[in-house]
Amino acid sequence: MVKFLKQGIEQSAVDEADAEVRTLVEGILADVETRGDTALRELSQKFDDWNPADFRLTETEIEAAMSRVSRQDLEDVKYAQKQVREFAERQKACLLDLEVETMPGVVLGHKNIPVNSVGCYVPGGKYPMVASAHMSVVTAKVAEVPRIIAAAPPHDGGPHPAIVAAMHLGGADEILVLGGIQAVAAMALGSESVAPVDMLVGPGNMYVAEAKRQLYGRVGIDLFAGPTETLIIADETVDGEICAIDLLGQAEHGPTSPAVLLTTSEALAQDTLREVERQLDILPTAEIARTSWADYGAICVCDSDEEMVSEADKLAFEHVQVMTRDPEYFLQNMTNYGAMFLGPRTNVSYGDKVIGTNHTLPTKRAGRYTGGLWVGKFIKTHTYQRVLSDQASAELGEICSRLCMLEGFAGHAEQANVRVRRYGGRNVEPYSAVQPRGG
């Protein structure tokens, strides 16, 4: 039986906050769609105190920003991008075009075609998410997307040098210094100065995530990637110190970031509670992490590994870190999550920054129906067909005619009938079902 030692705020409070966000986002999107660049400038000034002559960086401005990044930081960015690029290339190799003759004279196939244009949002705010540029821009480049535009908010009164470097090194064709809802709106809806894209990708705060949700349908999106979530699944083989570090390491993302421990050890649960409080007294980012832990943190004691799997699949969290005697059990049995980190030697931070798997992952239980961003998200699979012989066309036409009339689609049926007449030599009454041979 599940026993909670700590729980966060009630779901009703979360729902009320979400409703306020929806209303705000809806108004801003409508404003950008109506007033274009004028609205973008007013919103950027209001939220970021930023109103340059052009939101798009020139080559000279890109070079100037990159010159402010240390050599070591540039090398580290290149290292991380190499890991992301190589894994994405291996994933892309799994996506194969197909062509097969399914019956004599009938050829079916599919082609994998990259999206024509993508907008990559890179969060800035209190913690500029340099790594998000790797995850979106590099991966889109591997997919061979023809136009990649990247946007991030200003930082300290200008473009964030390391973010600009990561975008440029990753292969962005255009870089905008523009943040939040207004950046997402500009890329999706377009304006006088920004050509719209076909797809939006990248994580963001609750406002960016809601903007993507409302824009879905007008453009494609990768997934609903809102405030980060982390779930630690652990037993007595680890201690409270490492569990607390891994919980708070994600709670520092923002004040609405859930961090949850599932364990079969009540001793570990109690030890982790004590460690969280101890570490919050020394963590440099404790101001944010403390709020997140108070409102969205939870510790739950379960009776068995099987019960932990059941609870974890209900949560369907973005990150699942497994530190148990048998981590493989969870890999084989869990079905709902964004990314899994197996064993104490790895952790969510590795996935966030450097290991090579993508860190743009489903939140708010979206892991029940989708995985995270990967090269395949930028690639559309389109089918095609050929009929190479008169006999095959007539054979298909006869059955298609009857199936169409079964549904009452006379016009559909006539598409089949005309081919039965021309390629099968049969006399078929217009807008009627082809009778079986010998019938």
Side-chain angles (χ1 to χ4, degrees):
M1 190 173 86
V2 174
K3 173 184 176 183
F4 282 94
L5 269 64
K6 182 196 179 303
Q7 289 182 277
I9 61 177
E10 293 293 326
Q11 185 60 41
S12 58
V14 177
D15 293 341
E16 184 177 342
D18 287 348
E20 293 175 2
V21 170
R22 280 196 297 273
T23 301
L24 175 65
V25 169
E26 189 175 82
I28 290 176
L29 293 181
D31 191 21
V32 172
E33 186 170 27
T34 302
R35 298 194 299 129
D37 280 347
T38 301
L40 292 178
R41 292 197 168 281
E42 290 178 4
L43 291 163
S44 182
Q45 182 70 53
K46 175 181 177 180
F47 292 116
D48 291 322
D49 193 24
W50 177 247
N51 188 8
D54 193 341
F55 291 115
R56 184 182 288 100
L57 293 182
T58 65
E59 287 297 323
T60 300
E61 289 170 326
I62 292 170
E63 290 172 7
M66 291 185 65
S67 71
R68 297 172 56 199
V69 184
S70 73
R71 178 176 295 180
Q72 184 61 63
D73 286 344
L74 284 175
E75 290 303 314
D76 289 345
V77 165
K78 291 175 183 177
Y79 179 95
Q81 291 193 350
K82 180 175 182 288
Q83 310 313 308
V84 173
R85 185 177 297 107
E86 288 184 354
F87 188 58
E89 287 171 348
R90 296 294 184 92
Q91 290 182 300
K92 186 184 177 189
C94 298
L95 297 172
L96 302 177
D97 288 352
L98 170 70
E99 185 169 286
V100 59
E101 190 170 14
T102 57
M103 58 183 274
V106 175
V107 175
L108 307 182
H110 73 229
K111 288 186 66 176
N112 293 305
I113 302 172
V115 173
N116 282 314
S117 58
V118 169
C120 302
Y121 186 71
V122 177
K126 190 172 181 64
Y127 304 118
M129 296 284 286
V130 177
S132 289
H134 320 331
M135 306 301 171
S136 56
V137 177
V138 170
T139 310
K141 200 70 175 178
V142 171
E144 301 181 70
V145 174
R147 175 181 173 239
I148 302 170
I149 181 171
H155 187 79
D156 291 337
H160 190 283
I163 287 181
V164 172
M167 290 172 167
H168 181 70
L169 292 171
D173 300 299
E174 303 169 46
I175 297 175
L176 302 180
V177 183
L178 187 64
I181 304 167
Q182 57 270 25
V184 172
M187 292 190 289
L189 303 173
S191 71
E192 297 92 329
S193 64
V194 181
V197 298
D198 297 319
M199 183 180 183
L200 289 171
V201 301
N205 60 20
M206 64 183 74
Y207 299 100
V208 168
E210 176 61 21
K212 286 171 64 180
R213 188 191 70 81
Q214 291 189 23
L215 288 163
Y216 178 56
R218 299 197 200 188
V219 294
I221 66 170
D222 47 359
L223 45 94
F224 301 120
T228 196
E229 305 163 341
T230 195
L231 173 65
I232 308 293
I233 298 175
D235 61 19
E236 70 281 359
T237 60
V238 291
D239 55 65
E241 179 188 33
I242 197 169
C243 290
I245 287 170
D246 290 339
L247 289 166
L248 294 178
Q250 295 301 301
E252 74 176 1
H253 264 284
T256 58
S257 294
V260 175
L261 170 66
L262 292 182
T263 181
T264 49
S265 168
E266 184 154 351
L268 176 64
Q270 297 287 0
D271 188 27
T272 300
L273 266 177
R274 290 190 292 269
E275 273 293 320
V276 165
E277 294 307 315
R278 181 186 72 81
Q279 291 177 29
L280 281 172
D281 287 336
I282 58 175
L283 180 67
T285 54
E287 181 180 359
I288 292 174
R290 190 183 299 277
T291 301
S292 177
W293 177 249
D295 291 347
Y296 292 87
I299 292 180
C300 175
V301 179
C302 298
D303 289 334
S304 64
D305 286 357
E306 291 82 359
E307 190 169 60
M308 288 200 290
V309 166
S310 175
E311 291 302 310
D313 273 341
K314 290 175 188 174
L315 291 169
F317 264 22
E318 176 187 18
H319 304 109
V320 176
Q321 184 168 342
V322 182
M323 297 186 289
T324 63
R325 184 172 286 100
D326 182 17
E328 292 298 314
Y329 173 82
F330 294 87
L331 179 62
Q332 296 304 319
N333 288 280
M334 277 190 64
T335 57
N336 301 334
Y337 56 91
M340 191 175 289
F341 305 80
L342 299 167
R345 291 183 181 86
T346 189
N347 63 86
V348 175
S349 185
Y350 285 3
D352 280 348
K353 310 302 179 188
V354 72
I355 206 167
T357 52
N358 206 292
H359 82 192
T360 303
L361 300 166
T363 64
K364 288 186 174 292
R365 304 187 69 226
R368 293 171 299 142
Y369 56 81
T370 186
L373 182 61
W374 70 295
V375 69
K377 289 276 188 178
F378 297 103
I379 295 174
K380 307 170 293 171
T381 301
H382 296 276
T383 58
Y384 62 88
Q385 58 178 264
R386 297 189 193 94
V387 179
L388 303 176
S389 70
D390 293 352
Q391 181 180 348
S393 182
E395 180 180 334
L396 290 168
E398 292 180 11
I399 297 170
C400 182
S401 172
R402 294 193 291 273
L403 290 173
C404 291
M405 292 306 293
L406 176 65
E407 296 177 346
F409 283 112
H412 282 61
E414 194 60 19
Q415 289 179 267
N417 292 347
V418 70
R419 286 160 177 86
V420 173
R421 296 187 199 104
R422 293 190 180 191
Y423 301 119
R426 297 189 63 183
N427 186 17
V428 181
E429 287 292 321
Y431 306 109
S432 66
V434 175
Q435 295 303 306
R437 292 178 181 272

